[in-house]
Amino acid sequence: MESESHQLTKLMESTSKPADVITITSGKGGVGKTNIAANLAICLSTWGKKVLLFDADLSLGNLDVIMDINCKYNISHALNGQKSIDEIIHYGPEGVEIICGGSGLQELANLNTFQKQRLINELTKLQKDRDFLVIDTAAGIASSVIAFSLASDQILIVTTPEAAAMTDAYAMIKVLAGNNYNGTINLLVNMADSKDEGKRIYRHIASVASRFLDINVYNAGILLKDKHLIDAIRKRKPVVKEFPKAKITASLASIAAKLSVSPPLQNDNKAFFKKVVDWFF
Ligand SMILES: Nc1ncnc2c1ncn2[C@@H]1O[C@H](COP(=O)(O)OP(=O)(O)O)[C@@H](O)[C@H]1O
Ligand SMILES: [Mg+2]
């Protein structure tokens, strides 16, 4: 019997599909991407999913603050061969695995073909035993952000009701459409004053995208302006852990639930990191 169950486990392991990749991005900065990435990752992890959060923000990443970890190692330690990929993983709340990015990613541009291949192989291993890779990016349509976005199964575009944020979110959708992105594009309206305002913004952007770009933009959900989030940041704690009963926690959980059941996509996500490196560098 024991060997039978062992066999079964082995079968399940070998047939389990690679992690779904969700990239969180926005046109404009300061719209809440990093907080959303961290809290969604924690929600998924609470439900027993194995989640790795990858910080692909080259500039001012603050994931370490929100997750209250010390980014002792980042991706550059793996790039220069000082550490293996496994050794640069940090552990945040609920066992969420975190890879810190920082300026390390810029070094990718200087790698030779052999080093790039080695890196792709290492990163691809990350997808094997996990359910989700959540990628937090910088704002804007920089080539690295586009590369991560195009290679992922799902993209979560974050906007706020601010006109500039909406315009930039649309610009991002336009770039994705122009590159024939074939995954799912979800829009999240953050810092809305009311659910109605959020829904109105979603409908507006989705209808323009449908009409002019012939592309579907799904509604990931609405997050209201909530001072619990600011209190949590001050305490270096993710809001879903610090304020489990707050409205924003329920909203984040429902967004995580929605993203986790999104249909499997045409994207061959086995090659996620290969695509990123091919496109970006
Ligand atoms: N729902 C919200 N309610 C209140 N403040 C928010 C909310 N979302 C984001 N913020 C504020 O926006 C700031 C920027 O958030 P952050 O996640 O770092 O954005 P990004 O990663 O897009 O630059 C936070 O420090 C917080 O003050
Ligand atoms: Mg950020």
Side-chain angles (χ1 to χ4, degrees), residues 28-46:
K28 192 175 170 293
V31 295
K33 284 182 301 298
T34 300
N35 278 279
I36 290 165
N39 285 288
L40 291 181
I42 292 170
C43 288
L44 293 168
S45 197
T46 309

Side-chain angles (χ1 to χ4, degrees), residues 26 28-36 62 66 136 190-191 223-227 229-230 233 248:
S26 69
K28 192 175 170 293
V31 295
K33 284 182 301 298
T34 300
N35 278 279
I36 290 165
N62 52 348
I66 293 159
D136 180 26
N190 186 24
M191 296 194 239
L223 291 176
L224 303 184
K225 244 182 235 149
D226 193 325
K227 76 170 198 35
L229 185 73
I230 295 164
I233 296 169
I248 194 166

Side-chain angles (χ1 to χ4, degrees), residues 199-219:
K199 280 183 199 157
R200 208 165 48 241
I201 289 164
Y202 161 73
R203 279 198 296 265
H204 179 66
I205 294 177
S207 74
V208 178
S210 161
R211 203 165 133 210
F212 294 100
L213 307 173
D214 194 23
I215 197 165
N216 276 330
V217 175
Y218 295 89
N219 185 8

Side-chain angles (χ1 to χ4, degrees), residues 172-188:
M172 172 66 76
I173 296 168
K174 200 169 172 177
V175 170
L176 297 172
N179 281 282
N180 300 315
Y181 175 63
N182 64 356
T184 306
I185 301 177
N186 306 282
L187 184 71
L188 191 167

Side-chain angles (χ1 to χ4, degrees), residues 26 58 65 80 90 109 147 151 162 181 188 208 228 232 243 258 265:
S26 69
L58 304 177
V65 177
N80 62 27
H90 297 78
E162 230 186 290
Y181 175 63
L188 191 167
V208 178
H228 289 107
F243 300 108
K258 222 179 227 183
L265 301 152

